[in-house]
Amino acid sequence: MDQESTIDLTRLSAMDAARAARMLKGVRDATLSGHRPRVRPRPVIHESWGRMLRGGVDPDHDVRRGLLGVDEVEERRQASPLLPVLPVLREALVTVAEAAQHIMVVSDADGRILWREGHPTVLRMGDRLGFEVGAHWAEDVVGTNGVGTPLVTRRPVQVFSAEHFVRSHHPWTCTGAPMTDPRDGRLLGVVDVSGPLETMHPGTLSWVHAVAQLAEARLRERHVNGLERLRAVAAPVLARIGGRALVVDAHGWTAAVTGMPLPDRVALPRAPAEGSCWIPSLGPCTLAPLAGGWLVRPRRSDQPRTAVRVVLDVSRPRHWSVRVWGAAGSWTHELSPRHAELLYLLALRREGRTASGLAEDLFGDPARTVTVRAELSRVRRYLGCLLEHRPYRFPEDAEVEVVMPADIRDLLPHSTAPAVVAARGGFDG
């Protein structure tokens, strides 16, 4: 590889494993000592190493935290939205992983390993590395790795040998892909295929990513089927009701409606309960439980709800939210990665931004306005009148605050949007 070039996994995999590991060790050692390496690390690895150095992760010692107990692991498994698609992951990955001397692990959104299967010898190697059920493999705990780094970047990542930040993981290669809830973009966990460094193959990245997408597709099918069942429950209920009403599932997705336009989704309270509540897009409402969801009945209100304060929190790497305080109280909504990007850009540009301007900020392509308008339409389902348009902006009388990370380089680390990358300072190889 030439001076000033960036590591390429395809070329790397063609090398003898020991030689490739030595080369990567030299890159890591030079980078961590503050020198410019002969070959630059890949951007996703370089940025991860930067987060580890800023966060104080020890590159020479794996500071192992205690495993979850058997009962807590089982509790997390039963509560995991990934449990129904575990057979899909097993069928697509485990058999091939065993033959290729790999193991498959599935973590939750916290980076805790909940399931682990595969080649018996490699499972024992994983035990020695602490790569076992109940272990915590978040990036800020054990450094750059195939479980924790995809949780931060929100995209598939392959980590080979000394690309791992912590030295004890260098005999290992791992490839992980995040899985998100197709209903709202919420991060559910990571599926990872790992093994000895000799087994590294660049095609593993596409394979694992495709399986993660298959699992998400199965979750989408389950969601659609659930709405169909709820629609059957809702039909006789809505037939007896006069006025406006809708039936939604536990996540606010609409199954049926009467007397009003059909919204795709409404923002239910964080802990919905029978009785009165405020729904941003509908105003004051009454909730009543149904099998598999809620009956929502909007009520008339003589007092319009005026926002007093909007706080956008983008300070943490995997959890972003918007909180609104107004005359009717306060509410909080967890944001998807894309919505976090959009609201951050709008909060910085109080004068507003056109769809083409936001497309330029997000994609570097002002022509991608259809995608931007579709996403902002989804944002308005929970922000309602707090998101004006022509141009898109927060209302002038709203107080808007952005809670930023302590270090600007940790801003929305998943984002590849040009405007966000520029705000982070870009990539300094």
Side-chain angles (χ1 to χ4, degrees):
M1 296 184 186
D2 300 327
Q3 176 77 15
E4 299 299 321
S5 65
T6 300
I7 290 171
D8 178 82
L9 280 182
T10 301
R11 296 173 63 189
L12 191 68
S13 64
M15 293 183 183
D16 171 80
R19 178 187 169 207
R22 286 194 300 270
M23 187 269 288
L24 287 172
K25 181 179 182 300
V27 172
R28 173 183 175 276
D29 291 348
T31 302
L32 299 191
S33 63
H35 298 95
R36 194 176 189 89
R38 184 177 65 84
V39 182
R40 293 187 303 176
R42 294 182 291 138
V44 66
I45 300 299
H46 179 274
E47 292 168 4
S48 177
W49 287 353
R51 291 191 294 271
M52 300 309 93
L53 290 170
R54 295 191 295 274
V57 176
D58 188 338
D60 296 315
H61 300 92
D62 182 358
V63 182
R64 179 59 47 196
R65 299 185 182 180
L67 298 177
L68 296 177
V70 174
D71 290 345
E72 186 171 356
V73 167
E74 186 58 27
E75 183 178 338
R76 289 193 181 217
R77 284 175 170 176
Q78 295 303 316
S80 172
L82 296 176
L83 180 61
V85 296
L86 191 61
V88 174
L89 301 176
R90 284 177 172 144
E91 181 179 353
L93 293 175
V94 173
T95 301
V96 180
E98 286 181 340
Q101 291 190 308
H102 283 90
I103 58 176
M104 178 197 79
V105 302
V106 179
S107 83
D108 63 14
D110 295 327
R112 289 284 187 176
I113 296 176
L114 299 185
W115 292 279
R116 189 188 71 148
E117 302 177 28
H119 194 281
T121 301
V122 184
L123 289 171
R124 290 192 292 271
M125 292 177 62
D127 290 341
R128 292 194 292 273
L129 287 170
F131 200 50
E132 51 192 319
V133 171
H136 199 184
W137 276 73
E139 193 186 57
D140 57 358
V141 175
V142 294
T144 308
N145 72 89
V147 173
T149 302
L151 287 173
V152 173
T153 63
R154 296 292 185 110
R155 57 186 184 272
V157 178
Q158 189 166 36
V159 185
F160 178 63
S161 186
E163 289 184 323
H164 289 90
F165 186 77
V166 177
R167 187 185 303 276
S168 59
H169 306 155
H170 290 183
W172 207 242
T173 178
C174 52
T175 304
M179 293 173 287
T180 58
D181 192 324
R183 296 170 298 192
D184 54 17
R186 180 170 58 96
L187 188 61
L188 302 179
V190 164
V191 59
D192 170 275
V193 169
S194 294
L197 65 88
E198 294 85 358
T199 64
M200 194 277 284
H201 190 284
T204 307
L205 187 67
S206 298
W207 172 43
V208 174
H209 185 203
V211 173
Q213 291 179 314
L214 176 61
E216 291 176 347
R218 293 296 172 83
L219 289 173
R220 189 176 295 108
E221 290 175 9
R222 288 176 58 85
H223 169 56
V224 171
N225 292 338
L227 286 179
E228 289 292 342
R229 291 191 296 271
L230 183 56
R231 193 167 292 121
V233 173
V237 175
L238 294 181
R240 297 192 299 267
I241 289 177
R244 300 187 301 159
L246 63 158
V247 171
V248 300
D249 69 7
H251 299 273
W253 289 94
T254 305
V257 66
T258 184
M260 58 186 291
L262 174 68
D264 288 342
R265 189 185 185 193
V266 298
L268 291 176
R270 184 178 295 272
E274 185 171 8
S276 298
C277 71
W278 181 279
I279 293 178
S281 59
L282 300 176
C285 295
T286 300
L287 291 185
L290 288 178
W294 295 90
L295 171 65
V296 182
R297 303 191 68 178
R299 304 196 312 267
R300 295 188 179 278
S301 173
D302 296 330
Q303 293 185 334
R305 186 171 188 247
T306 304
V308 175
R309 187 170 177 231
V310 178
V311 175
L312 175 66
D313 189 342
V314 292
S315 62
R316 295 178 293 169
R318 302 196 306 273
H319 305 281
W320 315 283
S321 65
V322 60
R323 187 168 187 183
V324 177
W325 282 265
S330 66
W331 54 272
T332 301
H333 184 79
E334 185 175 338
L335 298 172
S336 70
R338 181 66 77 208
H339 290 185
E341 291 171 326
L342 281 166
L343 292 182
Y344 166 73
L345 294 171
L346 291 175
L348 292 186
R349 300 175 182 269
R350 290 302 306 277
E351 73 280 5
R353 198 78 168 128
T354 64
S356 61
L358 286 170
E360 178 77 26
D361 292 342
L362 284 175
F363 308 113
D365 180 2
R368 295 186 61 177
T369 57
V370 172
T371 301
V372 168
R373 290 192 178 100
E375 289 295 341
L376 288 171
S377 175
R378 297 183 181 102
V379 172
R380 295 193 74 181
R381 292 171 193 160
Y382 52 88
L383 281 187
C385 62
L386 298 182
L387 180 62
E388 299 180 350
H389 58 97
R390 296 180 184 175
Y392 293 104
R393 65 196 184 278
F394 288 103
E396 290 184 6
D397 59 353
E399 176 189 349
V400 179
E401 175 187 352
V402 181
V403 182
M404 298 285 285
D407 191 307
I408 190 63
R409 291 171 292 184
D410 294 325
L411 171 67
L412 300 174
H414 69 280
S415 179
T416 58
V420 177
V421 172
R424 290 200 300 256
F427 171 67
D428 180 10

